[in-house]
Structure formats: structure tokens, C-alpha cells
Amino acid sequence: MALEHALLIALRERPSSGLELARRFERSIGFFWTATHQQIYRVLGRMDGDGWVTASEVPQAGRPTKKVYAVTPNGEQALATWLAAPVATAGLRSELALKLRGASFGDRDAVLDVVRSNLADHHLRLDHYEQLMKRDYPDPAALSGLDLDHYLVLRGGVLMEQTWITWLTEYLEAHT
Amino acid sequence: MALEHALLIALRERPSSGLELARRFERSIGFFWTATHQQIYRVLGRMDGDGWVTASEVPQAGRPTKKVYAVTPNGEQALATWLAAPVATAGLRSELALKLRGASFGDRDAVLDVVRSNLADHHLRLDHYEQLMKRDYPDPAALSGLDLDHYLVLRGGVLMEQTWITWLTEYLEAHT
DNA sequence: CACGGCATGTAACAAGTTACATGATTGG
DNA sequence: CCAATCATGTAACTTGTTACATGCCGTG
């Protein structure tokens, strides 16, 4: 499964505790993969058992001790293997698309309201992503390595949000 | 959950047996919601218990008898309620995006191959969707009701595939 | 000393996936 | 009669979600 490998990537970028990982998943990695802290703790435990990561207790001034996880050579190998493996092209799986399709079987105005609300959400996200773009990658042509990868994934986020906005706007216009 | 309501929509469009539903999910509805026959049978059973659908045995010439499900008034009500309910704006959840982000931690050429393979897949899908478009909706401006809804959802599929192609092509170009 | 934030977890449940089982009927 | 297709299902497992439990520490 993918959460293991998402965590391996996150930990190779920076060793972290469970809660720190959860917070990072709310931010950048969460654009395309989400996970709650409960799930993260469970998977970290399993990965520790499998020897993919090791934990070290880090005492903190004025805060409870945390367990910082780092990737082991075994984990590095598992990540490299997974990265090279082919991946099935995923579909959409959108509850909203389902409602668009079924709108005739309920109150169409209510569905239009749901669409408008989601459209507003996508506008917010797009704004957010574009601000990150401006702030963190003012000169994309100069990027390479990790930075380039992060930029290109964020770029995908921008493209996806723009597409949602186009789609939902067309939908609203078609139902004048 | 959403599979129940996906099935309600499918059954209101046309009463069907479990296997017929599974096949329809491989086709049009599957653009944005997938389900295997095992899952469909399980959920149909639950919905039958809840009084959302009723089954009637339909003998067939030269084939085993099938159970055709139809939506009850209770089910219609449940669908209408669900349609009007707000829906959380979903994120991407893409394993491929994960690999793009983590490419530095493995064999980058292997990741590029994975990307190329997925890109080819998205080209295929886009071609397929565009053929459906041409065949089934040659004159979108004339559509209304169910047909319009189906068209607009397919339109979303086209937009999404185009976006994937743009994104992955940019990615490949950036890693010359 | 109560409250809020940090930190780590458990338990119960819901949803989705994979592998397998069963029986009917037709065509070769 | 054997293989292929249609049709319906069970069982075991993996993932993901929701609700709850516990303890540390500094601030007011």
C-alpha cells in the first residue's frame, strides 16, 4: 500500500515524530495523500516492526518527549523498489460527480447549491496553491532535484484545481 | 456512504441485476466511481434489508434466472436527501503524484518510465471519452435533463484526462 | 489547580480488495 | 461431457474513519 511509502518519502525528506508527520500531511503532502494521526501511528508501528524505520526518543524543553522516526537501509530499499514499480492509472472517485449525474432524481436547485459551495472551495484552494507557488518557487526554471519535484507536484495541484473550476463553472452555466 | 447512492442512481436510470450493475460500473459510471461485483452484491443486500430496493426474479431464456433490483419510494427519498446534502471537497489521492514527489529517493529513470506508461494510459482514455462524446452527444447545445447531466459528467472526464496529460507531459519535459 | 496544547496511542467500525465457491446453461 | 459464460454469493484481509483514553507541561 501507499501510506507506508508516503511516510518513507516524508521521513527521508526529514525525520519526524508521528504528530509532526500528521501536520506535514495536512500541508504539502496532503495535496495528494491524506492521513490522520491515528492511521500514521498504526503504520509507523508496523514499519518499525518490519525494520523500515527506527525510532529514537527525543526529550524536549517544556514539552513531552517525542519519538522521532528515521528510515533504515531496509526502508530505503523498500522505497526504491516501490518507486520503480508500475502503478495502475487511477480514476476520479468523486462523490460530487455522482451528484451531478443524479441531479434529476432530487431537487436540482439543492444540487446546484452544493456545486456552488464546492466551486468556492476550489477557488480557495487554487488561490492558496498559487500563493505557495509565488512564495516558494518564484523562478521555476532554476530548480532541480527535490525542489523541482516539489514544484512539479504543486504545479499538478494548480492544474487540477483549475480543471475543477472550469468543469463546475461549465456545469452551472449549462443549468443557467 | 456513496456506493449506496451510486447504485440508487444507476437503478433509477434502469433497474438491473447485480452483474448488470457491475458491468455498468465498468462503463459510464465507472469514470468517477468504481465497484466490483462482490461489493455491489453486499451493498444490494443491505439496501434490500433497509427497504431501499426490491428484488424480483426474472427467468431468462437460455440463461440462469437473475434478480432485478428496483428502487422503492423509501430509496427514492434517501437518494433525494443525499443529493441535497453538502459534500466535502475531495483531494487527489494519487499514488503517481507520490512517486513524482519521491523520485529523488530511487531510480529516476524508472520513475520516468512509470510516468510515460501512465501518460499513454491517459491518452487512451481521453481518446475513448472523445469518441463517446462524438458518438453520443454530437450536438451538446440541444441537450437537457438526464442526457445533459450525462454529457456534463463525461465532459468532466475529458477535462480531467487533458489535465493529467498536460501535467505529466510538463513533468517529462522538465526532466529532459 | 484548571485549562489548553503537545504527544502517543487503543478500540470499534465502515469500506474496499482479493481469493474462492457454487450452480445453471449453451456450444463444441 | 467439458469448457465458457452468466449469475450470485462467502470469507478473509487490508485500509481508512471516528470516537475515545492517557499523560506531560506551561500559563493564567
Side-chain angles (χ1 to χ4, degrees):
Chain A
M1 262 308 86
L3 180 54
E4 271 93 335
H5 302 98
L7 291 174
L8 286 174
I9 291 171
L11 289 176
R12 287 217 49 185
E13 289 176 5
R14 179 154 26 98
S16 309
S17 71
L19 205 58
E20 283 162 2
L21 283 168
R23 277 196 287 256
R24 289 173 62 195
F25 269 74
E26 280 167 20
R27 293 175 56 256
S28 56
I29 302 178
F31 297 162
F32 49 92
W33 207 270
T34 57
T36 56
H37 75 102
Q38 292 91 335
Q39 211 187 336
I40 288 172
Y41 282 120
R42 186 174 19 164
V43 173
L44 278 176
R46 184 165 67 223
M47 291 167 77
D48 199 355
D50 292 346
W52 288 11
V53 296
T54 40
S56 49
E57 309 245 324
V58 175
Q60 301 177 98
R63 289 199 204 162
T65 298
K66 63 182 178 179
K67 276 198 238 174
V68 170
Y69 289 89
V71 180
T72 64
N74 264 351
E76 287 178 17
Q77 185 52 54
L79 176 56
T81 303
W82 175 80
L83 279 168
V87 125
T89 307
L92 238 192
R93 177 135 308 214
S94 160
E95 219 171 303
L96 185 61
L98 224 48
K99 297 201 182 195
L100 300 190
R101 171 155 184 146
S104 329
F105 305 121
D107 178 353
R108 188 175 288 278
D109 286 337
V111 173
L112 288 176
D113 280 342
V114 174
V115 172
R116 275 186 277 267
S117 155
N118 279 61
L119 178 55
D121 241 32
H122 284 296
H123 271 296
L124 280 178
R125 283 201 202 168
L126 179 57
D127 284 354
H128 177 56
Y129 291 176
E130 283 180 338
Q131 273 176 20
L132 290 181
M133 278 287 211
K134 235 179 275 179
R135 198 194 63 189
D136 296 336
Y137 311 105
D139 183 13
L143 297 170
S144 70
L146 259 179
D147 285 337
L148 178 56
D149 287 330
H150 286 196
Y151 164 78
L152 286 170
V153 170
L154 182 54
R155 170 80 182 132
V158 167
L159 288 171
M160 285 295 168
E161 293 305 326
Q162 285 172 342
T163 300
W164 274 105
I165 290 170
T166 303
W167 184 12
L168 297 182
T169 303
E170 272 188 26
Y171 182 88
L172 290 175
E173 279 168 6
H175 291 94
T176 318
Chain B
M1 261 306 87
L3 181 54
E4 271 94 335
H5 302 98
L7 291 174
L8 286 174
I9 292 172
L11 289 176
R12 288 218 47 184
E13 289 175 5
R14 178 155 26 97
S16 310
S17 71
L19 205 58
E20 284 163 0
L21 283 168
R23 277 196 287 256
R24 289 173 63 195
F25 268 75
E26 278 168 19
R27 293 175 56 256
S28 56
I29 303 179
F31 297 161
F32 49 90
W33 206 269
T34 58
T36 57
H37 79 270
Q38 292 91 335
Q39 209 186 337
I40 288 172
Y41 282 120
R42 185 175 14 166
V43 172
L44 279 176
R46 185 164 67 222
M47 290 166 77
D48 199 354
D50 291 346
W52 288 11
V53 296
T54 41
S56 48
E57 309 244 324
V58 175
Q60 301 178 99
R63 288 198 204 162
T65 298
K66 63 181 177 180
K67 276 197 239 173
V68 171
Y69 290 89
V71 180
T72 64
N74 263 351
E76 288 179 16
Q77 184 52 56
L79 176 55
T81 303
W82 174 80
L83 279 168
V87 125
T89 308
L92 239 192
R93 177 138 305 217
S94 161
E95 219 171 303
L96 185 61
L98 223 48
K99 295 200 183 196
L100 300 190
R101 172 152 183 149
S104 330
F105 305 120
D107 178 353
R108 187 174 289 275
D109 287 336
V111 174
L112 288 176
D113 280 341
V114 174
V115 172
R116 274 185 279 265
S117 155
N118 280 59
L119 178 55
D121 241 32
H122 284 295
H123 271 295
L124 281 179
R125 283 200 201 169
L126 178 58
D127 284 354
H128 178 56
Y129 291 177
E130 283 179 339
Q131 273 175 20
L132 289 181
M133 278 288 211
K134 236 179 274 179
R135 199 193 64 188
D136 296 337
Y137 311 104
D139 183 13
L143 297 170
S144 69
L146 259 179
D147 285 338
L148 179 56
D149 286 331
H150 287 196
Y151 164 77
L152 286 170
V153 169
L154 182 54
R155 170 76 183 136
V158 168
L159 288 171
M160 286 294 169
E161 292 306 327
Q162 285 173 341
T163 301
W164 274 105
I165 290 170
T166 303
W167 183 13
L168 297 181
T169 303
E170 272 189 25
Y171 182 87
L172 290 174
E173 279 169 6
H175 291 95
T176 320

